[in-house]
Amino acid sequence: MNPERLKQLLEDVKNGEVSIDEAVSRLKSLPYEDLGFAKVDYHRQLRRGFPEVIFCEGKTPSEVSAIIEKLQKSENNLLATRASVEIYEQVKKKFPQAQWYPRSRVIVMRNGNQKRIGNILVMSAGTSDLPVAEEAILTAETMGNKVTTLFDVGVAGLHRLLANLQLLQEAKVIVVVAGMEGALPSVVAGLADKPVIAVPTSVGYGTSFGGISALLTMLNSCAAGISVVNIDNGFGAGYVASLINKIGEQV
Amino acid sequence: MNPERLKQLLEDVKNGEVSIDEAVSRLKSLPYEDLGFAKVDYHRQLRRGFPEVIFCEGKTPSEVSAIIEKLQKSENNLLATRASVEIYEQVKKKFPQAQWYPRSRVIVMRNGNQKRIGNILVMSAGTSDLPVAEEAILTAETMGNKVTTLFDVGVAGLHRLLANLQLLQEAKVIVVVAGMEGALPSVVAGLADKPVIAVPTSVGYGTSFGGISALLTMLNSCAAGISVVNIDNGFGAGYVASLINKIGEQV
Amino acid sequence: MNPERLKQLLEDVKNGEVSIDEAVSRLKSLPYEDLGFAKVDYHRQLRRGFPEVIFCEGKTPSEVSAIIEKLQKSENNLLATRASVEIYEQVKKKFPQAQWYPRSRVIVMRNGNQKRIGNILVMSAGTSDLPVAEEAILTAETMGNKVTTLFDVGVAGLHRLLANLQLLQEAKVIVVVAGMEGALPSVVAGLADKPVIAVPTSVGYGTSFGGISALLTMLNSCAAGISVVNIDNGFGAGYVASLINKIGEQV
Amino acid sequence: MNPERLKQLLEDVKNGEVSIDEAVSRLKSLPYEDLGFAKVDYHRQLRRGFPEVIFCEGKTPSEVSAIIEKLQKSENNLLATRASVEIYEQVKKKFPQAQWYPRSRVIVMRNGNQKRIGNILVMSAGTSDLPVAEEAILTAETMGNKVTTLFDVGVAGLHRLLANLQLLQEAKVIVVVAGMEGALPSVVAGLADKPVIAVPTSVGYGTSFGGISALLTMLNSCAAGISVVNIDNGFGAGYVASLINKIGEQV
Amino acid sequence: MNPERLKQLLEDVKNGEVSIDEAVSRLKSLPYEDLGFAKVDYHRQLRRGFPEVIFCEGKTPSEVSAIIEKLQKSENNLLATRASVEIYEQVKKKFPQAQWYPRSRVIVMRNGNQKRIGNILVMSAGTSDLPVAEEAILTAETMGNKVTTLFDVGVAGLHRLLANLQLLQEAKVIVVVAGMEGALPSVVAGLADKPVIAVPTSVGYGTSFGGISALLTMLNSCAAGISVVNIDNGFGAGYVASLINKIGEQV
Amino acid sequence: MNPERLKQLLEDVKNGEVSIDEAVSRLKSLPYEDLGFAKVDYHRQLRRGFPEVIFCEGKTPSEVSAIIEKLQKSENNLLATRASVEIYEQVKKKFPQAQWYPRSRVIVMRNGNQKRIGNILVMSAGTSDLPVAEEAILTAETMGNKVTTLFDVGVAGLHRLLANLQLLQEAKVIVVVAGMEGALPSVVAGLADKPVIAVPTSVGYGTSFGGISALLTMLNSCAAGISVVNIDNGFGAGYVASLINKIGEQV
Amino acid sequence: MNPERLKQLLEDVKNGEVSIDEAVSRLKSLPYEDLGFAKVDYHRQLRRGFPEVIFCEGKTPSEVSAIIEKLQKSENNLLATRASVEIYEQVKKKFPQAQWYPRSRVIVMRNGNQKRIGNILVMSAGTSDLPVAEEAILTAETMGNKVTTLFDVGVAGLHRLLANLQLLQEAKVIVVVAGMEGALPSVVAGLADKPVIAVPTSVGYGTSFGGISALLTMLNSCAAGISVVNIDNGFGAGYVASLINKIGEQV
Amino acid sequence: MNPERLKQLLEDVKNGEVSIDEAVSRLKSLPYEDLGFAKVDYHRQLRRGFPEVIFCEGKTPSEVSAIIEKLQKSENNLLATRASVEIYEQVKKKFPQAQWYPRSRVIVMRNGNQKRIGNILVMSAGTSDLPVAEEAILTAETMGNKVTTLFDVGVAGLHRLLANLQLLQEAKVIVVVAGMEGALPSVVAGLADKPVIAVPTSVGYGTSFGGISALLTMLNSCAAGISVVNIDNGFGAGYVASLINKIGEQV
């Protein structure tokens, strides 16, 4: 309820077109339908081109399917992360247009054409980091961002990275996905003056501690310009990158 | 050395205007003086309005002073973080224009007027988080960003935050500084669809473990749009926020 | 053995109605049958309406069934937590009135009508926290407490919580169940001046570390009025809440 | 703004006594001035007899003194925790009635007589735990609770505890403070059917890890009825105990 | 090679019955065949009544069977810990006298009668700790020790323990097995002036961290007289207890 | 109160020599004065030759002095651990016979001659472990045990250890003190079939983590016969060793 | 591209034998094809006798097979680590010469005869450490090193190690593989003045924490001459040992 | 006792020049005086050019001075690490030739000229890592190794490293010292096919956890050829590097 609609309601009260009780009732729910809701809505409703997102872990196939059914009354894109093949098979019965990406276990539903804007570069250090990178890519794309990629450019073979500096220069924001020692974001941030979103992955063994080693590396980077998301959180990285990438764009 | 200049060099060789030995010498240093250096320089050179930064921890007052002297031949702004009062007293002998902020232990030297652009909101949960917040603010300001602030709006007293939603809506990027349980970034990211840079601080006792509790809270946030920097890393947050804030601005 | 019964015994000795050997024998077991036992019994005996509780993890279906058989000679309610479906199937053969709640893996047996008193509010941050919340609810209900609930009110969407402040005001004690970053108890304790029992859950991934992140958040809360139980310990929270809720009630 | 006041405002609008613009303006600030604020205020306002609390760690003597001066315009009691002797000396210049307890580093200011109600038992395992126990005691007393104490009853000498079972039976809620292995709350909760607030302390060495050992013991207790606060958080325990103790009392 | 055999060898050299080269060769291997071996043998050789021990984890059924076959040429008792049912089934084909204890997964082979001496008390806090307790019991018994037991006497129900103080007084050494918060050894060591071997178990959930909580409790005990073995190491506890129990006995 | 004394009391009641009220009063305190107390006393009473022990950390010099004064009414030996020089100087004013050992910060008071029995070997890996070893030695000696020592025999120089195997063979129980990697107990337990009490020390840097590395080594030893006490807990080791060493001795 | 070749290229340009465009093109790729690439190639290209290595974890059988097919165009040896039996079965269809070692899950392909040089000693503490030791052995052998072995010489039975000192003396570099308490490298480095590569394994239980205990032991060794690789990283140890072993050899 | 001396002894026995008892006595001590000692001595004796090393932490100035006095009877070089200025001042009274390096707190005493051989490259990522690097350099130099250095080449500014690839190619072994995220060894090992000894330093703050972050990075490096020493262990790295560097050299 923006100020205009509020003014209108008050005039309706003044004019007797709306009873005081009715007005009280509508105003009491105002912070959630209106001011509050508008704010959250601004954040949640996911304007055209933004996906609605379901985190599937710990939900049954039918629960996910039911949620999708409810959400799809809107015509937004939809993203479901950490979706097992069982979930996908349940979903596609009702939504044959749903696409499932087995590597990242992401389900995407696209409604109509979507203009993709800006330029997010998603990089990964090793091939085992691809599931997380793919989650970031699909998140960013479904949110309407142009995404370029650069894979398998770990710091143990710098020449592969140096051969692609052009890609770093062209991006507005860079997502760097790396497991094991997780050193790639430091090198990237040292080469490109862009915001770098670092994503540690749980790839590794022994003292990688399921991604803690990579996470600490990224948090302690001596290169400025890096911020970090949770281990294996490709979705979070894609989401943040999208928020940054859309700055200054015509949405 | 861009392709044009390389082509020119080769033509000069062909034409005999540059000797082969001279060309060899220039080409050998090419990756560092030119292609490579240009790239790093693009990252490092610190264009007008960007500060040069010195991390003072573990340096003696005279070491810091010497570094500043060398750097100040350029006319850039300068930022020295984690500077003790001893360092400051040494520095101001030569650079009386240096300003020292005791709370954040930051030294700033400003050369000439600087246009501040965009809008970074720096928030803190408690008053004890102010030193870290101030480091973020001074970093961002010295890098040429407009900064607004909102302090002492921890989640235990939501009304203080809710009364200032306007500030969140107006920012391009938000830095949220919080110690103890570090829950503020989650609430902020739930209210404002902006990139949120979360900075855990070492404020707390017992199981706060010097900021680990706050760090984990921020990494595990159920609100999308948050990325995190190291504990007490106000500088890092200010730097990332500046990179984001300048997107789409006329620098 | 209260003082009166002790006095009586001594008089019986004096009068020769009880032999000295018999008196010695009864006095030797006194700390366990009487003073001591009475104390523990006061704690353990499980007055009408209180459940007897079996922690099933690590017990075989027939072990659990045997324990229930022994306990059910009393007419108390009974609560069995962390019971697998195999355990339930064994139990219901002998006790067809047993009810099993698959989400929380709790078995409840209710004997006769039970008055439910007071008002415990059990809240959860996300839908994945429901198994733990349900364990708390069933524990509290079986112990004879009135329970109200409020689910899926995580801090990333404050409006959902703010719309239900009335429920917080009406409760005598509040159980807040939350995984991931576990920030909900801080916000709740900031809004309602009631004892808040915080229950971290193992919901999350990466740096949630199986509930440690949520646990630390709750222990470090800047809001006063919170105390915490073990990760996923819905039973413990329900039990503590019951102890508190019954204060001042006519049991 | 309760429904009645809202209704009145709308009638004033209808009657023309309040202009629509004025009504819009007042309604826009409603969630913070009124509904929302009232709720938080209900939580914060600190009714008669409740202390206002200042956490002094990280504040200078003059900052603390200034805060006290501001707060003392109300006539409430006041509690300042973790106050150094320097802080106390600054404070007592202006507030000679301030009392400082060196062991717990607590400053208390009492305004007028205060009725103490209910019965909180504060126990400690060892003499080194007394500073934390004292913080709990002073917090509870300043909040208007009757407090009884039982010190140095660690589990290595059970007879000392068993000799005082009466005190456990008489309390409404029990605060148990223990460092090192922190086993006392388990034994207490096994003996008394009361809510037990367990406070781990940082007393110990080696693998006590600054209180983590005691904390884990308390969280993993096999005795039901225990909830836990942060390491050394005597204030938090006293606060929770007060909330519980006042249930069913005439405040 | 004991002094007598060494003397004999030298006399043989003196008498020319052994050549100098032969003597050099035999003396060079002396530290392992003789002095050294004797020492280790004293430790390893496993005098009558002591078991030979096989740690089965990570060995295949046929590997274990082969090792047993080799060891059984001696007539000692034999103990195989952490043996799966598959291992047992392979073993009993050749050694029908082998006994397997499913709860502790221990295989025992007894050769002839064995006098059991001394008195080791093995206690456990909860029923879930029985597998580890049984490993300790079988280890101690197979090593020729008399073992008494006391189960399910956790600190949450002190009366059960206090009713059995006699057993504590009669033991020469006490093994206390406990999971969850692991507080039982502290109470036992406070009641009985005997060496207490504390065994943390991995029983528990959440912050029990697979036995770490119990381990820390035991290491930090404020009661003197406790030493600790690895989590779930019933064998180690039984072995140490046996070494202590045999002191002063006629072996 | 043993059965005989209880019988006597009852006969006195029967005979009218003790009134019923007097008997009730004496029986009510029975669990603490008598059965219970006797047991604890058996543990605590500190028979001739056993020290009374004060843990000085966190006590002021005058507190320690006061405690000693109270304890010294008995004629037992006395041991005060972790005593600073300030504490010692306060103590020796009243007790000039007190001896202070600066390396281990132990105060010992010996009253009369004390027969030392058995044979405890205290070993240390490096010279930096001597403070902890000395605490163990003084504890054991003050408790009336004969102590032999073997220092600086870390595993990096095995020959030093192997040259002293005789000492290992002659001991009844061995205390092994080691910091850094803490490997010495494993080697010792492999060479000598005696109970080995392992004491990790906080000696080391970096990943020694204040003794955790040594502690873990000792808990995970592949050699049987080792049990472990807290980091730097020389007192605890000496105490356990004394309990073991006295088995089978004429005390 | 060394200076000579660069000079030649420039002369070719000068002489018109190479067009400027062609020279630009070749110079642009120079850092990767030539200077840079040569260096990485020197590291990567895997000269005769060096294996090409595939880390199979997280790759499907067909992915691994495809990578091998591509790599095998060269005639180098090939090493694939952490290969499941499924991977092996897929690989041997196309490469029947492939050998699979089930214990270490390593696939080796040898092309032609390979001279093995130097002398690497690979030791293991227990039989459960053999899988990791075998990975180190196969890595070193496939890289062209002579390998000797010494297994099951844990520190609990020193005589087994002391009987084989000769092997230690003869090696150029020693790889020591150990789980549980991981003390063997300390003893070995104390006996042999050679570089010791220590490999912690995840063998153990309880506080071995999946190899952390062994890792810490190795990092904190009081014996100089030890460096450490990741837990279970037999490949890494074999690789480093090979680099060292080849120093001073005619490759 | 080498074979010749053993033979001689036996001949003396044969000839009656040594009695059998005397021979027995001498042979019994043989493993420590002779075979065993020789082996350890081989390791310890510290041949010409090798330093004798004193770890000063936890030693008083006079203790260190006394040890030096004893050691200096030999004419070896001497290295004392972690020596405070107080220690140095005590030492130089007697040994004016002692040199102290304040940054690394190392004392070196050089006796006569020493030929330096091979080529160890010691690199550091940042200037704050220099104390540890210097400890490595002084260790290696005092052990007779030629050392080259390359400082301040952290991965955030790759061009500085790439400009010095020549140094990497010329070294036989490389020591890489790095704090914070510790990524430099990965990059170096990817560029140079030499053994890389990685030294994590405690430089950093927040989640660097005193060097753990850097340590984990190094252990998890995706580049082969790296082994790691303890945090801040410059001495250990210099020692290992020396062992490697001397392979194939004429010592």
Side-chain angles (χ1 to χ4, degrees), chain E residues 13 44 54 78 110 120 174 193 203-204 211:
Chain E
V13 166
R44 295 232 136 218
I54 304 161
L78 182 142
R110 295 189 180 83
I120 298 173
I174 302 175
D193 214 22
V203 170

Side-chain angles (χ1 to χ4, degrees), chain D residues 48-52 68 72 74-80 91 95-101 104 106-116 134-145 147:
Chain D
R48 174 160 288 293
F50 272 52
E52 309 197 45
I68 292 181
Q72 280 306 93
S74 74
E75 304 238 327
N76 290 332
N77 288 345
L78 180 143
L79 189 76
V91 167
F95 303 95
Q97 78 272 35
Q99 281 178 281
W100 184 63
Y101 297 81
S104 56
V106 165
I107 294 171
V108 175
M109 289 175 61
R110 296 188 180 83
N111 293 291
N113 288 321
Q114 183 188 38
K115 191 181 141 213
R116 297 217 177 123
E134 193 179 83
E135 191 182 274
I137 293 165
L138 290 169
T139 300
E141 285 185 350
T142 317
M143 288 177 80
N145 302 279
V147 176

Side-chain angles (χ1 to χ4, degrees), chain H:
Chain H
M1 183 174 274
N2 50 34
E4 288 69 31
R5 284 182 54 205
L6 178 57
K7 226 166 179 169
Q8 186 59 53
L9 175 63
L10 290 171
E11 294 200 7
D12 290 350
V13 167
K14 192 169 189 175
N15 301 338
E17 288 174 31
V18 167
S19 75
I20 284 177
D21 278 355
E22 169 66 14
V24 166
S25 161
R26 280 159 70 179
L27 283 167
K28 274 171 82 175
S29 63
L30 168 150
Y32 320 115
E33 262 184 47
D34 201 39
L35 265 192
F37 183 73
K39 265 147 196 161
V40 173
D41 175 51
Y42 180 64
H43 148 243
R44 293 235 135 217
Q45 54 91 230
L46 311 162
R47 285 143 299 167
R48 176 162 284 300
F50 273 53
E52 309 197 46
V53 183
I54 304 161
F55 182 77
C56 298
E57 207 148 288
K59 299 199 176 67
T60 64
S62 32
E63 283 173 346
V64 172
S65 193
I67 295 172
I68 291 181
E69 208 161 343
K70 192 170 148 206
L71 288 175
Q72 279 306 89
K73 289 171 186 161
S74 73
E75 306 238 325
N76 290 332
N77 288 345
L78 181 142
L79 189 76
T81 62
R82 312 212 168 200
S84 62
V85 67
E86 291 76 23
I87 286 178
Y88 169 58
E89 272 158 13
Q90 176 81 13
V91 166
K92 76 174 170 190
K93 286 181 198 158
K94 287 234 175 112
F95 303 95
Q97 78 273 34
Q99 282 178 278
W100 185 63
Y101 297 81
R103 203 193 311 242
S104 56
R105 295 183 302 137
V106 165
I107 295 171
V108 175
M109 288 175 60
R110 294 188 180 84
N111 294 292
N113 288 322
Q114 184 188 35
K115 190 180 143 213
R116 298 214 178 127
I117 59 181
N119 183 357
I120 298 173
L121 173 62
V122 177
M123 304 171 63
S124 78
T127 50
S128 324
D129 302 318
L130 284 180
V132 178
E134 192 180 83
E135 191 183 273
I137 293 164
L138 291 169
T139 300
E141 286 185 351
T142 316
M143 289 176 80
N145 302 279
K146 204 175 296 170
V147 176
T148 53
T149 60
L150 180 53
F151 298 146
D152 202 18
V153 287
V155 299
L158 273 186
H159 62 299
R160 296 171 298 185
L161 175 59
L162 295 176
N164 290 285
L165 286 175
Q166 190 68 13
L167 289 178
L168 279 68
Q169 298 304 338
E170 290 166 359
K172 282 181 70 181
V173 51
I174 304 175
V175 172
V176 185
V177 181
M180 302 184 85
E181 87 264 59
L184 185 57
S186 291
V187 173
V188 170
L191 293 170
D193 213 23
K194 310 293 167 61
V196 170
I197 314 299
V199 193
T201 73
S202 53
V203 169
Y205 62 91
T207 56
S208 76
F209 297 138
I212 295 179
S213 173
L215 171 68
L216 294 180
T217 303
M218 293 167 182
L219 287 170
N220 287 291
S221 176
C222 53
I226 298 173
S227 59
V228 187
V229 297
N230 196 0
I231 296 165
D232 288 337
N233 191 2
F235 164 71
Y239 193 100
V240 172
S242 172
L243 292 181
I244 296 171
N245 184 49
K246 295 205 170 166
I247 296 177
E249 301 282 338
Q250 305 291 359
V251 188

